[in-house]
Amino acid sequence: MRVLIVGGVAGGATAAARLRRLDEHADITILERGEHIAYANCGLPYHLGGKIANRRSLFLLTPADFQRRFAVDVRTGHEAAAIHRGNHELEVLDLAAGRTYREHYDRLLLSPGAAPIRPRGMEGSRVFAFRSVTDADRLQSFLADERPASALVVGGGFLGLEMAENLVARGLSVTLVEMASQVLLGLDADMVWPLHEHLRAKGVTLELGSAVAALEEAGKSVRATLADGRRLEAGLVILALGVRPEVELARKAGLELGPMGGIAVDRQLRTSDPAIFAVGDAIEVEHRVSGRKVLLPLAGPANRQARVAAANIAGRSEEYSGSAGTAIVKVFELAAGFTGLNRQQLERAGIDHRSVIIHSASHATYYPGAETLTLKLLFSGAGDILGAQAVGREGVDKRIDVIATAIQLGGRVADLSRLDLSYAPPFGHARDPVNVAGLMGGNLQAGDIDVVDAADLLARPERQVVDVSEPAEFAAGHVPGSVNIPLGELRSRLGELDPAQEVVCVCALGRRSYNACRVLRQHGFSKARNLSGGYRTYRGLARPAAPPAAGGEIELDACGLGCPGPILEVNRRLRDLPVGATLRVKATDPGFPADIAAWCERTGNRLIALRREGDVFAAIVGKGQPPSDPGSSPAGAPLLDKTLIVFSGDLDRAIAAFIIATGAAVMGRKVTMFFTFWGLTVLRRRAAGLRKSFLDRMFGAMLPRGPSALKLSRMNLGGIGAPMIRWVMRRKGVMSLEELIGQAQAAGVRLVACQMSMDVMGIRREELAEGVEVAGVATYLQASETAGTNLFI
């Protein structure tokens, strides 16, 4: 049997390999117009950003390796020009030789893929598409040769987001333009807002609801004219507008195309010609939820289709049962995933649906490292699972994969609540977020609860809204017009509400308000409904960009200050501002963008915007309400203490210790520094009139007396190294060790001197700086028992 395969990569190469395993005697040829047939094109953006350093690791097999391993005739640089179906011949163009020839086939497999969408007029030496290894190599060379400072990414889908992240990793200032009002259209608006905030926090400028009308190269930059007439300028442009299926070969051959413009295939992946099969980005497949034909240019489905097609070519009978469109994307530290259909897609398909949103920690909150995970579940009134979406730093993939599996196997909402999922504190919860989403969905179906979406509440705000949060939380932010009745007071204050009207219950995350709804329903409030996703979702949807300043706006110039100076100044200035006020900060410390984002997330403040203006980083920070529980983060995870053992008396190590300790204290942690042996010299000061033994006086004379006498651990250069490093620190705006000690004490860092070490080294209490405690090892061990981090310096 003679089998020709048009196109390599996920579809063609996978099909060839399986076909060879099924039929050792088949005559198989792959025709690929590019140079490569088996490479990980999904990894190309991360190679660009430096996360995948070795380019060769992206290549699974070279054409020669593939040919040797599978006995397949691999012809790169050969393009399929025409199919002559009548006599089962394929016309092939040898691109190197510039000649055409014909090959006979018994079975033909088409895997032509898809091509990047490139509107007319958007060409130029500084305008790049990004689909293949050749595209990646061209962009790498451009970045190395031209060293542009800025980039414009057009399109906010998977590729646009990945390119934005990896161009930022290369040090470029990035603007992302998206025609829609949001990035990543697979997510609903009430799920995508964390991505918008995170992208801005990472310095990406978002131009949403904007379309690029024209591009014009001007010297070493490109000018983009938007549809509203505004102009943007950048050193290069990345076109990430999506892809369209490569169907010209099939169309010219008279093969049937589907309603979406892709190649029509049956469940065995045969085209309208029984001798021709097709797989990958160019074909239309059945969506598992809607039953409609769709285009899904994803690597996973292409791989599975290739296996099914190969089996059927080999004479077996296998079917491709469609796809739920499961996908995930990394956006800096966040991940966003989805499966099935979202709200807009369900409405467009005329499918009635309901949804719930939950906010949960990625694993048990008492185990270190728990991160906030937001999960949305969509389902029908009959309980069929229609889709799911998740956004968070950790655990997104496994929750989406579990629900995708349930969809594939025909599971229902009630099944999710009963799933037996693995649990241990580092990995999840005894009741996993997937279980909780299933329980919430089941409660809706049973009529135990009803919900209102944040978008619905925003569209029709004239309702009776009761916020059952604590007063401090309510003061930090609430739905306009709502009344605050804490959950613990609700039963005694029912008279303040009208049972004849609809009541929308609200709290931070939607958990306490669910309990409030159950109370109200059993007291005659039949129209009580819970705000799905709580105030967190409402706030994100209501304020996708910068919120209005409440309480004034303050300017802070932290330029010239080195770490931890800018964060200390932000903390100091915000401390005296009212909740809702905004602080505009400018800083030149290269670590400031990452530090301010981490600080805001952990302290309950809001990073509204962050962008780079030349060598200056400009941030807008909104004053938030600290958590009602001072021992917990805004996400509800416990704030674990930090302990440091300072054993060294070296200047550089002491500076590092105090920078870390002060940073942790400013982020709300309790910090204990335990000074022992040589570390005690950091805290020494001169004290006159002390009566000491000869041995103690001898030790005292040899030991450095305080920060100003400390030397460097390396490059001390006969004693001049320490004065040099202090001079450099002054020039670069880094605080001296003496200033760092004062800042640490002001921030609440606990300094403890080891009594045993003091006795051994002849150091008296009077020789230590003010505010230093003297204690033993039990004091340190007590502090370390509640610490999530313990450093030895």
Side-chain angles (χ1 to χ4, degrees):
M1 179 174 58
R2 177 83 166 125
V3 180
L4 300 183
I5 299 175
V6 176
V9 200
T14 301
R18 191 180 191 212
L19 183 57
R20 173 57 70 223
R21 289 191 291 269
L22 296 176
D23 187 345
E24 180 63 21
H25 304 292
D27 182 358
I28 308 170
T29 298
I30 295 179
L31 301 161
E32 167 59 50
R33 65 186 170 194
E35 299 176 42
H36 314 284
I37 63 156
Y39 64 93
N41 57 352
C42 296
L44 292 173
Y46 302 103
H47 172 57
L48 178 78
K51 292 181 179 67
I52 300 174
N54 187 352
R55 177 180 179 274
R56 295 182 66 180
S57 65
L58 295 171
F59 296 93
L60 310 177
L61 289 172
T62 67
D65 290 337
F66 196 94
Q67 186 163 336
R68 206 164 35 244
R69 182 174 299 182
F70 296 107
V72 170
D73 182 6
V74 179
R75 303 179 193 176
T76 56
H78 286 67
E79 182 176 8
I83 303 171
H84 301 282
R85 293 167 53 195
N87 51 4
H88 280 210
E89 286 186 342
L90 182 68
E91 189 173 324
V92 183
L93 171 62
D94 183 337
L95 296 173
R99 64 178 183 86
T100 61
Y101 61 95
R102 291 194 179 193
E103 287 283 354
H104 173 78
Y105 65 85
D106 296 305
R107 294 290 183 269
L108 175 63
L109 175 64
L110 302 180
S111 179
I117 295 173
R118 192 161 193 160
R120 197 173 290 174
M122 293 193 179
E123 295 93 14
S125 61
R126 292 177 174 269
V127 180
F128 296 85
F130 199 86
R131 178 77 175 170
S132 66
V133 174
T134 302
D135 295 334
D137 289 344
R138 177 176 167 242
L139 183 55
Q140 286 276 34
S141 297
F142 178 86
L143 292 171
D145 296 341
E146 297 290 330
R147 300 186 180 276
S150 59
L152 181 70
V153 177
V154 185
F158 293 113
L159 180 61
L161 294 172
E162 290 168 349
M163 294 301 291
E165 174 184 345
N166 285 287
L167 288 169
V168 168
R170 291 286 294 251
L172 279 72
S173 176
V174 176
T175 297
L176 189 151
V177 179
E178 168 55 51
M179 184 186 301
S181 59
Q182 66 172 73
V183 301
L184 203 59
L185 294 178
L187 296 182
D188 289 326
D190 51 14
M191 290 293 291
V192 78
W193 60 267
L195 297 187
H196 293 164
E197 291 192 346
H198 192 59
L199 285 161
R200 292 185 176 109
K202 291 298 181 180
V204 177
T205 300
L206 292 181
E207 292 286 351
L208 302 177
S210 302
V212 175
L215 294 175
E216 177 188 3
E217 290 200 20
K220 294 208 166 191
S221 65
V222 183
R223 290 178 189 152
T225 303
L226 303 185
D228 60 9
R230 290 181 299 131
R231 289 193 169 187
L232 304 175
E233 195 163 314
L236 75 146
V237 172
I238 302 291
L239 296 179
L241 295 166
V243 296
R244 57 168 57 96
E246 292 262 33
V247 298
E248 188 60 18
L249 180 67
R251 188 190 63 77
K252 288 194 303 183
L255 297 178
E256 183 183 338
L257 301 183
M260 303 300 295
I263 301 172
V265 295
D266 63 16
R267 285 199 160 202
Q268 290 192 320
L269 299 170
R270 282 189 177 88
T271 67
S272 54
D273 184 326
I276 302 177
F277 294 74
V279 298
D281 298 352
I283 71 169
E284 294 184 10
V285 297
E286 182 181 300
H287 197 285
R288 290 281 302 177
V289 174
S290 68
R292 298 185 174 188
K293 294 294 185 178
V294 293
L295 294 166
L296 289 173
L298 299 168
N303 249 289
R304 291 186 287 277
Q305 292 157 17
R307 289 180 55 81
V308 171
N312 292 320
I313 290 172
R316 297 192 177 189
S317 181
E318 292 187 10
E319 290 191 350
Y320 181 70
S321 58
S323 172
T326 307
I328 191 168
V329 64
K330 177 179 178 293
V331 185
F332 292 94
E333 277 83 44
L334 287 183
F338 51 82
T339 188
L341 299 177
N342 62 22
R343 178 176 180 170
Q344 185 180 35
Q345 292 165 336
L346 289 166
E347 290 175 348
R348 198 161 52 233
I351 300 174
D352 185 45
H353 62 279
R354 310 208 65 185
S355 66
V356 293
I357 296 176
I358 66 165
H359 302 287
S360 172
S362 56
H363 60 248
T365 55
Y366 56 82
Y367 187 87
E371 299 284 356
T372 300
L373 172 77
T374 301
L375 176 65
K376 181 173 186 177
L377 179 68
L378 300 107
F379 51 94
S380 71
D384 298 314
I385 304 170
L386 302 176
Q389 302 158 40
V391 177
R393 289 175 180 261
E394 181 184 291
V396 167
D397 51 349
K398 74 174 181 178
R399 272 72 189 212
I400 288 297
D401 286 346
V402 166
I403 298 175
T405 303
I407 291 175
Q408 183 77 12
L409 298 178
R412 300 165 74 84
V413 168
D415 296 323
L416 297 181
S417 67
R418 295 190 289 263
L419 289 177
D420 188 9
L421 303 176
S422 62
Y423 161 66
F427 305 106
H429 301 262
R431 193 167 64 181
D432 192 85
V434 172
N435 298 137
V436 175
L439 288 167
M440 292 292 291
N443 289 339
L444 256 71
Q445 282 190 285
D448 293 338
I449 192 70
D450 197 5
V451 297
V452 58
D453 292 333
D456 296 337
L457 183 58
L458 282 164
R460 191 165 62 86
E462 62 286 352
R463 312 190 199 190
Q464 187 177 204
V465 181
V466 57
D467 191 318
V468 297
S469 304
E470 294 302 309
E473 297 174 270
F474 184 80
H478 55 266
V479 175
S482 59
V483 60
N484 182 213
I485 304 179
L487 179 61
E489 302 175 15
L490 182 60
R491 292 177 180 84
S492 62
R493 296 174 61 181
L494 293 175
E496 299 177 30
L497 303 174
D498 184 356
Q501 294 186 35
E502 178 187 18
V503 181
V504 178
C505 297
V506 183
C507 71
L509 303 179
R511 298 171 190 163
R512 286 168 291 175
S513 53
Y514 164 71
N515 290 321
C517 280
R518 293 299 303 145
V519 170
L520 291 174
R521 286 206 164 205
Q522 295 175 76
H523 282 83
F525 290 80
S526 60
K527 298 178 182 178
R529 302 174 73 188
N530 190 25
L531 178 62
S532 185
Y535 181 69
R536 175 183 170 88
T537 296
Y538 177 92
R539 182 193 64 189
L541 194 61
R543 301 186 300 179
E553 186 170 271
I554 306 296
E555 299 274 348
L556 171 61
D557 187 351
C559 293
L561 296 181
C563 178
I567 297 299
L568 282 170
E569 288 300 313
V570 169
N571 184 65
R572 185 179 296 117
R573 297 296 290 275
L574 274 186
R575 190 170 49 204
D576 300 325
L577 294 180
V579 172
T582 52
L583 181 69
R584 289 184 176 268
V585 190
K586 290 187 176 181
T588 49
D589 176 25
F592 177 72
D595 282 356
I596 192 66
W599 181 82
C600 284
E601 182 174 341
R602 293 301 184 187
T603 57
N605 296 295
R606 186 163 183 254
L607 182 55
I608 297 166
L610 176 66
R611 64 183 302 155
R612 185 172 184 168
E613 300 169 355
D615 293 331
V616 177
F617 300 98
I620 303 176
V621 179
K623 173 67 177 289
Q625 178 71 37
S628 54
D629 178 4
S632 296
S633 73
L639 293 179
L640 299 174
D641 301 343
K642 312 293 178 187
T643 53
L644 294 85
I645 299 175
V646 184
F647 180 83
S648 171
D650 297 324
L651 175 63
D652 46 339
R653 292 189 170 110
I655 290 170
F658 276 96
I659 288 176
I660 294 169
T662 305
V666 169
M667 293 180 77
R669 272 59 170 180
K670 293 180 181 178
V671 183
T672 299
M673 301 180 73
F674 188 71
F675 295 82
T676 183
F677 283 96
W678 316 116
L680 290 169
T681 60
V682 179
L683 303 178
R684 286 190 75 195
R685 63 177 179 175
R686 294 189 178 275
L690 292 179
R691 297 175 62 86
K692 289 187 175 185
S693 67
F694 171 77
L695 193 59
D696 286 350
R697 289 199 306 273
M698 184 176 68
F699 263 114
M702 292 188 293
L703 292 173
R705 198 181 298 273
S708 61
L710 300 183
K711 298 179 181 180
L712 294 177
S713 62
R714 297 186 182 183
M715 297 176 63
N716 197 46
L717 304 177
I720 66 171
M724 285 177 62
I725 201 70
R726 287 177 175 273
W727 178 76
V728 171
M729 289 169 65
R730 282 196 302 272
R731 286 196 60 200
K732 294 187 177 294
V734 179
M735 285 181 281
S736 67
L737 178 55
E738 292 84 351
E739 292 171 314
L740 286 168
I741 294 173
Q743 292 289 351
Q745 290 181 299
V749 174
R750 183 186 183 193
L751 308 183
V752 180
C754 175
Q755 180 66 69
M756 180 275 295
S757 299
M758 291 172 61
D759 292 342
V760 170
M761 304 179 75
I763 296 176
R764 302 284 182 84
R765 174 67 187 83
E766 293 84 356
E767 293 180 83
L768 299 179
E770 291 290 339
V772 176
E773 300 177 41
V774 176
V777 69
T779 299
Y780 155 71
L781 290 174
Q782 181 188 41
S784 67
E785 284 180 352
T786 57
T789 303
N790 186 30
L791 301 179
F792 186 91
I793 297 176

